[in-house]
Amino acid sequence: MPPPSPHEPLRLSADDLFAPSVDAFLDEQAMASRAMPEVEPQPWILQFLYSSYFYLSLAGGLGAMVGWMIVEPFYNDSLERGQWVGLLFFAVVTACAGLFIGAAEGIMCRNLERALICASVSLAIGFLGGAIVFIPAHIIFNIMTAVALQLGGGVGGHGLPRGFGTAIFIMGRSAAWAVCAIPAGLGQGIALREPKVVVNGLLGAVIGGLLGGMAFDPIALAFPPSDGEAWLSRGVGFTIIGLSVGVMIGIVEQWTKSAWLLMKAGPLAGKQFVVFRNPTVLGSSPKADIYLFKDEAIEPRHALIHDRGGRYEIEDLNSADGTYVNGIPVHRQVLRAGDQIVLGKTVLVFDLKESR
């Protein structure tokens, strides 16, 4: 029988109209149509406030300042009164900076359980690690100071080596502070048992310590203490360490990330989630890697994102409401840059570094 002419009306029989395939198609279209919640554009300021380098730097700086405020009243620059306190100065500062940095991510994601675990582990590692690394840092500083005095021909104004020796002296302090800052950046990665986060924290802490150490002596020169106590330099220097450790952890995370999800609709719209674990669990449980709360349609373990050697795939874990990619319900689906993932009322946009 020849096909009907395009000018002839389309005729459907009762069998065609009530065929099971038609019902299945309509059900699939209904499911897909309700899977795309309305997405409102997010202002840039909200994305900035949710960026890790902003809130981690704020947390690190505040934590380091708190640590400095705890110890400073007991410290004195004279060897007789301050040496024993100085031994614990960096331990307390790195512990407090680590505590605040470790808690920041969990607090931003409204995950109290993760915040408590990361904060407590970071506090312990910051204090114990700070006390341990103070010894090699002190050795580095003494060696660099001796070199600086030798090159500068002795001590000049403000108690610093003369000439080029001043630069060597500042470099020595910066190197020592970089070593001392390391424990402040390790806690979160160790608490999460994730090597990539540990490396990011290590690199961020070293760079942050270098910047804080370089700021100490210039501050003392710009604002010489009248009582001979360098409390202002310590306070500003330690705060810069905390700020720098936090911001550098965030920046290193951006440098090293391969894949990430940006929440476009949901309680944390504007927040970016780096896919660093394989597989990455998406769900409403606080134990999920990406915690999606305040959405009754999302299961505790709703979906997984697998890294297949740089080829990312999402898998629905037989959830009641389903997982959708670009409006289509899927069980397993290879993800491409720009894909919109919908779970309940939450919309996440997947992106890859290679697409940038």
Side-chain angles (χ1 to χ4, degrees), residues 22-89:
V22 174
D23 292 334
F25 177 78
L26 292 175
D27 289 342
E28 181 177 333
Q29 292 301 307
M31 291 176 67
S33 64
R34 70 179 177 86
M36 296 299 295
E38 183 178 353
V39 177
E40 298 181 359
Q42 297 298 319
W44 69 267
I45 186 65
L46 187 61
Q47 294 190 33
F48 175 75
L49 294 176
Y50 272 132
S51 61
S52 58
Y53 46 80
F54 171 74
Y55 61 77
L56 289 180
S57 65
L58 195 64
L62 184 60
M65 182 183 294
V66 168
W68 167 74
M69 292 174 64
I70 291 173
V71 182
E72 184 62 41
F74 305 98
Y75 187 79
N76 189 282
D77 284 302
S78 65
L79 292 177
E80 294 79 8
R81 296 174 54 190
Q83 191 172 23
W84 67 275
V85 180
L87 182 64
L88 297 178
F89 218 139

Side-chain angles (χ1 to χ4, degrees), residues 47-334:
Q47 294 190 33
F48 175 75
L49 294 176
Y50 272 132
S51 61
S52 58
Y53 46 80
F54 171 74
Y55 61 77
L56 289 180
S57 65
L58 195 64
L62 184 60
M65 182 183 294
V66 168
W68 167 74
M69 292 174 64
I70 291 173
V71 182
E72 184 62 41
F74 305 98
Y75 187 79
N76 189 282
D77 284 302
S78 65
L79 292 177
E80 294 79 8
R81 296 174 54 190
Q83 191 172 23
W84 67 275
V85 180
L87 182 64
L88 297 178
F89 218 139
F90 272 99
V92 174
V93 169
T94 54
C96 290
L99 169 69
F100 280 60
I101 290 174
E105 184 69 27
I107 291 173
M108 291 299 295
C109 296
R110 313 298 194 272
N111 192 332
L112 182 60
E113 180 179 337
R114 179 175 298 180
L116 290 173
I117 292 174
C118 291
S120 58
V121 172
S122 299
L123 176 66
I125 291 175
F127 185 80
L128 295 176
I132 292 172
V133 300
F134 178 81
I135 298 173
H138 192 60
I139 294 173
I140 292 172
F141 181 66
N142 286 340
I143 292 174
M144 294 293 285
T145 299
V147 173
L149 291 172
Q150 183 69 28
L151 292 176
V155 179
H158 304 284
L160 295 175
R162 298 188 182 96
F164 183 67
T166 300
I168 301 298
F169 181 80
I170 294 175
M171 290 170 58
R173 188 187 298 279
S174 183
W177 282 34
V179 173
C180 286
I182 288 174
L186 298 180
Q188 185 175 2
I190 293 175
L192 297 175
R193 300 178 183 178
E194 180 50 52
K196 290 183 180 179
V197 181
V198 172
V199 173
N200 291 348
L202 174 63
L203 293 175
V206 169
I207 298 173
L210 285 170
L211 296 176
M214 284 191 289
F216 182 92
D217 292 297
I219 293 171
L221 292 174
F223 304 98
S226 58
D227 56 1
E229 294 288 328
W231 60 271
L232 179 62
S233 293
R234 282 190 293 272
V236 175
F238 285 137
T239 302
I240 290 176
I241 280 185
L243 285 168
S244 301
V245 168
V247 73
M248 291 311 303
I249 289 176
I251 291 175
V252 169
E253 179 184 90
Q254 297 301 311
W255 285 343
T256 60
K257 67 182 181 181
S258 299
W260 60 95
L261 298 167
L262 177 64
M263 185 177 289
K264 301 292 286 187
L268 295 176
K271 177 80 171 69
Q272 183 185 106
F273 301 89
V274 176
V275 179
F276 58 81
R277 182 169 290 176
N278 190 24
T280 294
V281 181
L282 289 75
S284 60
S285 169
K287 297 184 183 297
D289 300 311
I290 298 179
Y291 176 41
L292 305 174
F293 56 96
K294 290 186 178 179
D295 196 332
E296 295 179 355
I298 297 179
E299 306 284 346
R301 286 172 57 89
H302 195 103
L304 300 177
I305 293 182
H306 301 274
D307 181 1
R308 313 289 191 188
R311 178 174 171 269
Y312 291 86
E313 179 184 80
I314 191 167
E315 175 190 2
D316 178 70
L317 297 178
N318 298 318
S319 61
D321 198 65
T323 298
Y324 305 84
V325 176
N326 299 326
I328 305 300
V330 299
H331 177 63
R332 282 181 178 270
Q333 175 72 37
V334 175

